[in-house]
Amino acid sequence: MKVVFNEAFGRVWTDDVSPYVFTLIDQIPPSSAHVIRFFKAQTELAHVLQKKFKEAYLISDFSQAPEETKELLCHYYCELMPQLMKAKIAYLAFICPDTSFESLPKEKREKLSLAPVGIFPDFTEALAMVNLKRSLELAQRFELS
C-alpha cells in the first residue's frame, strides 16, 4: 500500500497492484489549503496510475463524515470534476448517501450526471462496480487488439 496523503481528516492511497485511487474523509478539513492538498494528491496519484496501468479509477468514501462535510465534499467534487477527468479517471465511485448529492443545485447535479460517476451506500458495492467497469474496459481493449 502506498499512502500519498494522510491527515487527521482524510487519507489518499493506492494498493499499488491496481489502478485504484482510494480516499477516505471523515471530518471537515481544517482549511481550504488542506482541501486543495487533498484533491491534488488524488489527481497526482491518478496520473501516476494512469501512466503505470493506462487507466485509473477513484473510490472516495465519505460515508462516515458529518452531513455538512458530505454536502461540502459534493460541491468540491463537482468543481474539481474537470481536473479529475483531465487526470483520465475512467470512473468515480462515491460512498455516501444519495441525499448528499441531492442538496446540490440543479445545474451541478446535471453536470455531475454527465460524468462517469456512481454513488454507493457502502465500499463493497462501490468496489464491485469499479471492478465491473474495469473488467469491461479490459475486455474491450483486448477485443480490439
Side-chain angles (χ1 to χ4, degrees):
M1 176 167 48
K2 177 182 175 184
V3 178
V4 297
F5 183 92
N6 193 16
E7 295 280 337
F9 71 91
R11 183 179 343 161
V12 178
W13 75 97
T14 183
D15 60 12
D16 254 356
V17 295
S18 67
Y20 299 165
V21 175
F22 298 100
T23 71
L24 175 67
I25 306 169
D26 55 11
Q27 299 174 33
I28 295 175
S31 70
S32 59
H34 284 85
V35 172
I36 291 167
R37 285 189 16 249
F38 177 81
F39 282 104
K40 187 176 180 183
Q42 289 178 68
T43 54
E44 287 175 356
L45 182 54
H47 282 294
V48 169
L49 295 175
Q50 178 65 29
K51 284 183 179 181
K52 181 177 179 179
F53 294 99
K54 307 295 186 239
E55 59 186 343
Y57 298 83
L58 173 70
I59 300 175
S60 187
D61 184 355
F62 45 98
S63 61
Q64 300 304 310
E67 195 58 41
E68 64 274 5
T69 302
K70 292 175 190 171
E71 291 178 11
L72 182 63
L73 289 168
C74 292
H75 284 278
Y76 278 127
Y77 272 111
C78 282
E79 293 304 315
L80 295 168
M81 197 65 66
Q83 290 176 355
L84 295 171
M85 295 297 97
K86 190 176 180 180
K88 297 183 181 176
I89 294 177
Y91 188 76
L92 297 94
F94 296 118
I95 304 163
C96 71
D98 287 340
T99 55
S100 299
F101 284 95
E102 290 171 4
S103 68
L104 292 170
K106 183 180 177 185
E107 66 276 0
K108 285 192 179 188
R109 281 195 317 266
E110 288 172 357
K111 186 177 171 183
L112 190 63
S113 71
L114 299 174
V117 171
I119 302 167
F120 303 92
D122 59 44
F123 179 80
T124 304
E125 288 185 37
L127 184 60
M129 180 56 78
V130 170
N131 285 335
L132 176 62
K133 295 278 187 188
R134 182 170 186 229
S135 295
L136 293 172
E137 175 66 30
L138 289 173
Q140 184 179 19
R141 199 181 312 163
F142 287 121
E143 207 171 80
L144 295 174
S145 16

